[in-house]
Amino acid sequence: MARKQDAASIATPKKVYLQSLGCPKNLVDSEIMLGTLASQGYQITTDRSEAEVIVVNTCGFLQASAKESIDAILNLAQEKESGHCKKLVVAGCLSQRYQGELPKELPEVDLFIGTNDYPKIAEILSDLPNREYIHKPLYVHQADTPRLLATAAHTAYVKIAEGCNHTCSFCIIPKLRGKQRSRSIADIVTEIKNLKLIGVKEFNLIAQDTTDYGCDLHDGTTIEKLFEELAKIAGNHWLRLLYAYPLRFSDELINIIASSENFCRYVDIPFQHINNRILKSMRRGSNGDYIRSLVERLRKKIPNIAIRSTLIVGYPGETDDEFDELYRFLKETELERVGVFTFSEEEGTPAATLPDQLSPKIMRERREILMKLQQSISLKKNRGRIGSRTRLLVEESSDENRGWGRSEWEAPEIDGRIYLEGGRSLAGQFCDVLIQNAGPYDLTATPYANS
C-alpha cells in the first residue's frame, strides 16, 4: 500500500479538479475524495484547465453509463496536453468493473481506483508505485470522515449503507460495490446533526436498498429504528427516503413517515415491473399483488404522498400481454413520478444470458408508450395542485424576477421545478407559495400572502 504523505509533500498544495458521474451514491464518494484531498493540503478547483490532478469518479452500472464515463475520461485527458494536468485518475464503478481491461485500453490514465480505495486517494497520490488500487469493496464512511459537499449548501445526500445483498438478475451493482455494509444509527444521526450545523436543510437518505438497512448488522438495527431516531432530531428540515426496495416496506415505517413533520411525503421505490413471471425472473422477491397492496397502503396512511418508481421495459421474453399488464398498472395506480428504462444486456448478469432478448426498436417503442402515459398522469396530478398552498425550499434566489425551488414532492435533480414569480426569496430558505399554473413536469407559483 502507498506510504503516508510526508510533511514536505503536504506543504506543497496541488490543484485538483474532480468530475463526478452517475448516481447520488457516487456523488457522496466524490465528496469524500474532495474532503480527504482538502484535508491533506490539496486545493480544489472548478477550472479543469488549471488543475494539476484530474479525478473522474465513474459510473459503470450500464453500458450507456460506461460509455459516458469513457467519453469523459478521454475528454479530460486532453488537459494533459493543453493544460497543467500531470496526473489523470479514474475512480469508481467503471474501474472496479473493468479492472483488467482499462489499464490496457486507456494508457492516458495514470491511476485507477476502485470502489474501496477512494478514501485513501491523498495517500495513494503521494506516490504512484502502481497504476491500480482496486480491492474487494469493504469500505463504508463514518460521520467523521472528511467530506466536502458538492451539492448546494442547503441539501445533502446521506448514505446510510453501502453495497447490496440482493441478486436481481439484471443488476451488476453487488459485484461492483460488494455486500451490504450498514452504518450505525448513532453515526448517521451524528452526521445529520453535523450537516445541520453548516446549514443543510434537506437530507436525502440513500443506499443501494434503504429499506434493507441494518439487516447485515445482526443486532436488531432496522430502518424503522433509524427513522424513529431521525424523527427526534429537532429543527426545520426535510428527511427524504430514496431507493427503497419494496419488499421490506413495513406498516411501521409508513406510520413513522406519516407522523413526523420532517419526513417528506415522498418515497422512491423501484418496482421495475408488475408481471409475476417477470418479477420472478428478475429475482425481485415480490409479486404484482404485493406491489399493488404497497401502493394502496402508502396512499391510505399518507394520503398526500408522492410515489416515485422506476420501471424496466423489454426484459427478455416480455410478451405483449406482459407489457400491457405493466401499462394497465401504471394507468390504474397513477404514480406521481416514474422513470422508464429499456432493458440493458449487462455482461456478468444472469438476465444477459436469457433467451428471447427483445430488439432495441421494440424496447424503445414500449418505453415511449409508458412515458407518454406518465406525462399525461403527471400533468393531471400537477393541475390538481393549482390553488394549493405549498412549502418550498428555494434553490435559486428571486426578487421581482423568476427564482425556483422544490416542494417535498420534488427530489433534487430527478424531478421538476416550481418557479416562483414575484416577491423575494433566498436560496436555501423555506417559504410558502401558492401554486398558480402547471405543466407535466414544472409548476409556477407566487408567494403565499400570509407567509
Side-chain angles (χ1 to χ4, degrees), residues 175-236:
K175 294 183 179 180
L176 305 182
R177 293 282 180 171
K179 292 288 188 179
Q180 179 169 293
R181 288 98 67 200
S182 298
R183 299 169 59 191
S184 72
I185 291 176
D187 192 62
I188 295 168
V189 170
T190 297
E191 180 176 31
I192 289 178
K193 288 182 176 179
N194 289 343
L195 289 169
K196 279 179 64 66
L197 291 175
I198 62 172
V200 176
K201 292 183 172 63
E202 179 185 37
F203 303 93
N204 299 285
L205 307 174
I206 59 173
Q208 197 60 40
D209 170 12
T210 48
T211 42
D212 208 34
Y213 164 80
C215 294
D216 57 298
L217 298 178
H218 306 295
D219 62 358
T221 299
T222 63
I223 187 68
E224 291 84 2
K225 290 182 179 179
L226 171 63
F227 272 39
E228 286 175 355
E229 294 305 311
L230 296 182
K232 296 176 184 177
I233 300 176
N236 189 19

Side-chain angles (χ1 to χ4, degrees), residues 5 12-19 33-34 37 41-56 76-77 79-80 83-91 109-111 113 121-122 124-128:
Q5 285 183 304
T12 307
K14 296 180 175 65
K15 290 187 177 181
V16 178
Y17 172 87
L18 189 148
Q19 182 171 338
M33 282 193 281
L34 289 172
L37 289 166
Y42 286 81
Q43 296 179 352
I44 309 302
T45 179
T46 57
D47 184 350
R48 55 188 270 183
S49 67
E50 67 178 24
E52 298 168 82
V53 178
I54 292 178
V55 181
V56 190
L76 289 167
E79 297 299 332
K80 294 182 71 174
H84 293 87
C85 180
K86 302 296 189 297
K87 295 177 183 177
L88 177 60
V89 181
V90 172
V109 177
D110 299 286
L111 175 65
I113 299 174
I121 187 170
I124 293 170
L125 282 176
S126 65
D127 60 10
L128 292 173

Side-chain angles (χ1 to χ4, degrees), residues 111-377:
L111 175 65
F112 293 93
I113 299 174
T115 58
N116 189 66
D117 294 304
Y118 65 89
K120 306 186 188 83
I121 187 170
E123 178 184 344
I124 293 170
L125 282 176
S126 65
D127 60 10
L128 292 173
N130 301 304
R131 287 189 69 203
E132 296 179 73
Y133 282 83
I134 302 174
H135 300 96
K136 182 179 179 180
L138 297 170
Y139 179 77
V140 59
H141 80 276
Q142 303 296 315
D144 59 356
T145 302
R147 181 179 174 190
L148 182 62
L149 293 183
T151 54
H154 52 272
T155 187
Y157 293 100
V158 178
K159 191 190 291 190
I160 64 176
E162 179 60 276
C164 185
N165 287 343
H166 296 297
T167 58
C168 297
S169 66
F170 54 84
C171 184
I172 197 71
I173 288 296
K175 294 183 179 180
L176 305 182
R177 293 282 180 171
K179 292 288 188 179
Q180 179 169 293
R181 288 98 67 200
S182 298
R183 299 169 59 191
S184 72
I185 291 176
D187 192 62
I188 295 168
V189 170
T190 297
E191 180 176 31
I192 289 178
K193 288 182 176 179
N194 289 343
L195 289 169
K196 279 179 64 66
L197 291 175
I198 62 172
V200 176
K201 292 183 172 63
E202 179 185 37
F203 303 93
N204 299 285
L205 307 174
I206 59 173
Q208 197 60 40
D209 170 12
T210 48
T211 42
D212 208 34
Y213 164 80
C215 294
D216 57 298
L217 298 178
H218 306 295
D219 62 358
T221 299
T222 63
I223 187 68
E224 291 84 2
K225 290 182 179 179
L226 171 63
F227 272 39
E228 286 175 355
E229 294 305 311
L230 296 182
K232 296 176 184 177
I233 300 176
N236 189 19
H237 59 269
W238 281 346
L239 296 158
R240 186 187 303 276
L241 180 61
L242 301 177
Y243 313 134
Y245 201 90
L247 191 57
R248 296 182 183 272
F249 217 112
S250 67
D251 284 339
E252 181 183 358
L253 179 60
I254 296 172
N255 289 335
I256 296 170
I257 295 173
S259 61
S260 172
E261 292 184 357
N262 287 332
F263 279 107
C264 292
R265 273 55 179 172
Y266 179 110
V267 292
D268 181 305
I269 313 176
F271 294 136
Q272 310 301 13
H273 215 280
I274 195 65
N275 175 263
N276 287 340
R277 186 196 68 81
I278 291 181
L279 288 170
K280 183 177 180 180
S281 180
M282 285 180 168
R283 303 178 182 178
R284 295 293 289 170
S286 58
N287 58 33
D289 287 342
Y290 175 84
I291 291 172
R292 292 183 180 92
S293 69
L294 176 56
V295 173
E296 184 177 348
R297 284 190 289 129
L298 283 164
R299 286 183 168 158
K300 181 178 180 181
K301 293 177 178 291
I302 315 174
N304 60 339
I305 193 169
I307 301 174
R308 179 180 180 84
S309 190
T310 53
L311 304 174
I312 296 175
V313 296
Y315 186 81
E318 182 187 55
T319 65
D320 290 341
D321 288 344
E322 289 167 340
F323 172 72
D324 288 343
E325 183 180 357
L326 184 60
Y327 180 91
R328 292 194 304 272
F329 165 74
L330 184 56
K331 186 175 183 179
E332 292 164 2
T333 55
E334 294 188 335
L335 301 177
E336 283 74 17
R337 307 274 187 264
V338 174
V340 182
F341 298 88
T342 56
F343 171 75
S344 181
E345 189 178 339
E346 296 298 318
E347 181 183 0
T349 63
T353 64
L354 291 175
D356 302 321
Q357 300 279 338
L358 276 64
S359 71
K361 180 176 183 293
I362 291 175
M363 290 194 286
R364 287 195 301 270
E365 289 173 349
R366 290 181 177 179
R367 180 183 182 276
E368 289 171 5
I369 290 170
L370 286 193
M371 288 305 296
K372 184 177 180 180
L373 172 60
Q374 182 58 37
Q375 188 177 54
S376 66
I377 293 170

Side-chain angles (χ1 to χ4, degrees), residues 390 392 418-422 433-437 443-447:
T390 300
L392 202 70
I418 300 179
Y419 290 98
L420 185 57
E421 297 180 337
V433 300
L434 192 67
I435 303 297
Q436 301 288 356
N437 292 292
L443 303 97
T444 59
T446 54

Side-chain angles (χ1 to χ4, degrees), residues 58-63 65-66 69 92-94 97-98 172 176 346:
T58 60
C59 178
F61 176 45
L62 301 174
Q63 292 302 316
S65 56
S69 294
C93 289
L94 189 76
R97 184 172 184 179
Y98 299 109
I172 197 71
L176 305 182
E346 296 298 318

